[in-house]
Amino acid sequence: SSQIYPIHLPREMRTRRALLICNIEFEHLSRRDGAEVDVEGMTKLLEGLGYLVDIHHNLTSQEMATVMKDFAALKDHQTSDSTFLVFMSHGVRAGLCGIKSRDGTTDILHLDTIYEKFNNKHCQVLLGKPKVVIFQSCRGVKAGSVMVSDSTAPAVPTPSSAPTIPAGLESDAIFEVHLESDFATLHSSTPDTRSWRSPETGSLFIQHLIEKLRIHACNSDIQEIFRKARLWSRPRGCRRLQPSSHFSPLSLSPQVQYSFGKFPRQMPAQERTTMLRKFYLFPGH
C-alpha cells in the first residue's frame, strides 16, 4: 500500500540499526538508578525486532553529537528500512544533559541537534525511511498534574489531527524533498514536566513502551501504539517478543499514552512527528 512504509528486502538481507544512548553517571547531577533496567529491556526489544543496537553510556553533549554523526554515516542504513534512536538521561526543556552538566544551560544536547544529524540533508541514506525517536528524560521540574473541580473545570478541546505532509517534488532531475521528514517522536513527558523512574524497575515510560511494542508490533503501526486508545486484544498468532510479568494493570491497554491516563503526574507526548505513511515493524518478516 502507498500509505505504508515499504520493506524492500527480505529479513536475511536487511541490516536494521538502532542507536541507544544512556547517561547514568554524572559529575554534578544525581545518578540515574534503575536506568540499567531500561537499557536491558529496550535492547532486548529492539533486537527482537531485528535491529542491531549500538549502545553508548555516559557521554557529554559533544560526545553524543559525535556518536550520532558516526551512526548516521553507517553504510548499513542503505540496506535498512528504518531506525530507532533512543535517548535516556537527565533533561531540561531544551534537551538532554551530558555527564558534565551542572544546570539547564551547561553541557546540554539540544533537541534540534538530534534532528539535524538525521534530517534529509545530513543523512540522505535514511531519506524516506522511518526514524523513531524515543526520549526518556525530564523536561523541567513541574509535577505535570493539576487539581481540578468538576464544577469549574473548563471544557477540554479535542486535539485536531495533524495535516498530511505532501510528498517531495521532482524538477529537472533534481529531487526537492522536505528538510525534515519521516520522524516519529515520543517523549516520556510533556514540556516543563518531570519523568518518573524506579531505582529497581526502571522508568515508568520505558516499561510501558516496551510492553506495548512487545504485544502490538505485529498488528499496529508505530503511531497507533503511541496514541490510539482501544481495548486490549491479541489476535490469533500474535505473540509477545519477550515474556514480562512486572507491569501494572494499566498495561492491558495497547498504547503508551493511554496507559498514563490514571497517573496524572506524567503524560508521554508525541512531538515533531513528520511521518508521511504508517510504519509497521512486521516482526518475523
Side-chain angles (χ1 to χ4, degrees):
S1 170
S2 62
Q3 296 185 13
I4 297 175
Y5 283 100
I7 296 178
H8 296 294
L9 295 173
R11 185 175 185 179
E12 60 272 14
M13 297 179 63
R14 288 198 305 266
T15 53
R16 284 179 168 176
R17 299 292 291 264
L19 176 65
L20 193 160
I21 296 176
C22 181
N23 289 339
I24 301 175
E25 302 279 358
F26 297 80
E27 293 186 6
H28 308 287
L29 304 177
S30 61
R31 190 180 192 275
R32 298 182 60 250
D33 292 321
E36 302 93 336
V37 180
D38 295 339
V39 172
E40 180 181 2
M42 185 60 71
T43 300
K44 289 181 178 179
L45 172 77
L46 292 173
E47 288 177 346
L49 292 169
Y51 292 87
L52 177 63
V53 186
D54 292 14
I55 304 174
H56 300 267
H57 291 98
N58 303 329
L59 305 178
T60 65
S61 59
Q62 182 57 53
E63 288 169 340
M64 287 189 278
T66 299
V67 164
M68 287 190 296
K69 181 179 180 180
D70 293 343
F71 181 79
L74 290 175
K75 293 183 178 180
D76 279 354
H77 294 311
Q78 295 177 357
T79 46
S80 176
D81 51 34
S82 58
T83 190
F84 271 74
L85 309 169
V86 184
F87 302 90
M88 306 177 185
S89 187
H90 286 307
V92 295
R93 176 67 182 266
L96 302 165
C97 295
I99 58 171
K100 295 182 181 293
S101 179
R102 293 176 178 270
D103 49 41
T105 61
T106 58
D107 197 20
I108 301 298
L109 176 69
H110 291 267
L111 300 184
D112 284 346
T113 302
I114 297 171
Y115 292 96
E116 181 183 2
K117 296 295 184 186
F118 294 94
N119 68 19
N120 294 330
K121 177 180 180 181
H122 296 108
C123 188
Q124 295 185 13
V125 72
L126 286 173
L127 174 65
K129 301 176 182 180
K131 297 166 276 284
V132 182
V133 189
I134 305 297
F135 293 105
Q136 167 55 48
S137 67
C138 288
R139 306 179 72 188
V141 296
K142 295 182 180 179
S145 61
V146 61
M147 299 301 293
V148 298
S149 167
D150 289 341
S151 61
T152 60
V156 179
T158 302
S160 59
S161 299
T164 302
I165 300 176
L169 303 175
E170 182 179 359
S171 175
D172 297 329
I174 299 296
F175 285 95
E176 183 180 0
V177 299
H178 297 281
L179 177 63
E180 184 176 304
S181 65
D182 310 299
F183 285 95
T185 303
L186 189 62
H187 289 266
S188 59
S189 61
T190 51
D192 298 316
T193 62
R194 297 177 178 178
S195 296
W196 297 88
R197 169 176 36 82
S198 164
E200 289 78 31
T201 59
S203 306
L204 295 179
F205 166 69
I206 295 297
Q207 291 178 48
H208 284 285
L209 178 62
I210 290 172
E211 182 71 355
K212 302 305 172 283
L213 282 164
R214 281 172 176 162
I215 296 172
H216 287 279
C218 64
N219 72 316
S220 300
D221 70 87
I222 195 73
Q223 288 182 275
E224 183 180 6
I225 296 172
F226 284 176
R227 181 195 63 244
K228 185 178 178 183
R230 60 182 174 84
L231 295 177
W232 177 76
S233 63
R234 189 170 65 204
R236 183 177 301 175
C238 175
R239 62 184 180 85
R240 300 168 187 250
L241 293 175
Q242 296 289 341
S244 177
S245 61
H246 63 277
F247 293 94
S248 72
L250 289 178
S251 59
L252 293 181
S253 161
Q255 52 78 48
V256 179
Q257 289 175 291
Y258 187 74
S259 329
F260 284 80
K262 295 183 179 180
F263 185 70
R265 293 189 175 185
Q266 181 177 343
M267 171 57 74
Q270 292 193 68
E271 298 176 19
R272 205 158 175 168
T273 292
T274 54
M275 299 290 278
L276 305 179
R277 307 179 185 183
K278 293 183 178 181
F279 175 42
Y280 290 88
L281 287 154
F282 296 117
H285 295 278

